[in-house]
Amino acid sequence: KDLWKYALLIMVQRSNMEINTSDLIAELPNYIRIPDGAEANNSSRTDSKFNQVVRNLKSHKDSATNFIRLGYAQGIPSGFRATEKGRQFVLEFFKDQL
């Protein structure tokens, strides 16, 4: 449920606050523990459950609780871009860890 917060953290650490989805998938395990079994491939897909969960951050952008819909990030063609609102959220949420 906090995956989007760590995705934002990764984005705002980049000079342009952008990241492509593949790089985000590769970086997130440096910040969070991947649940057991989540790296196994889905039976109906070629990617893992974890990859799909990360991709769902963008594909579920119309969900009421999605960080894109809430204005913390934008979907861009190859991934995501944090907004200023997202940067401010990260500074507050992670203030004791930064």
Side-chain angles (χ1 to χ4, degrees), residues 20-73:
N20 69 43
T21 306
S22 297
D23 288 347
L24 182 59
I25 289 167
E27 281 290 319
L28 277 166
N30 296 323
Y31 294 86
I32 62 169
R33 184 178 100 51
I34 308 301
D36 292 338
E39 294 185 285
N41 281 352
N42 285 322
S43 58
S44 62
R45 303 180 62 93
T46 58
D47 59 353
S48 72
K49 294 174 186 176
F50 176 69
N51 289 13
Q52 188 57 43
V53 169
V54 175
R55 292 180 196 289
N56 285 348
L57 290 172
K58 191 174 190 179
S59 64
H60 294 175
K61 67 183 176 209
D62 293 329
S63 171
T65 59
N66 183 276
F67 76 138
I68 293 173
R69 182 164 180 189
L70 294 171
Y72 295 119

Side-chain angles (χ1 to χ4, degrees), residues 6 11 14 16 29 36 48 51 62 66 77-78 81 88-89 93 97:
Y6 289 92
M11 283 179 238
R14 294 179 168 240
N16 58 2
D36 292 338
S48 72
N51 289 13
D62 293 329
N66 183 276
S78 60
R81 177 186 304 122
Q88 291 300 321
F89 173 86
F93 187 82
Q97 299 167 27

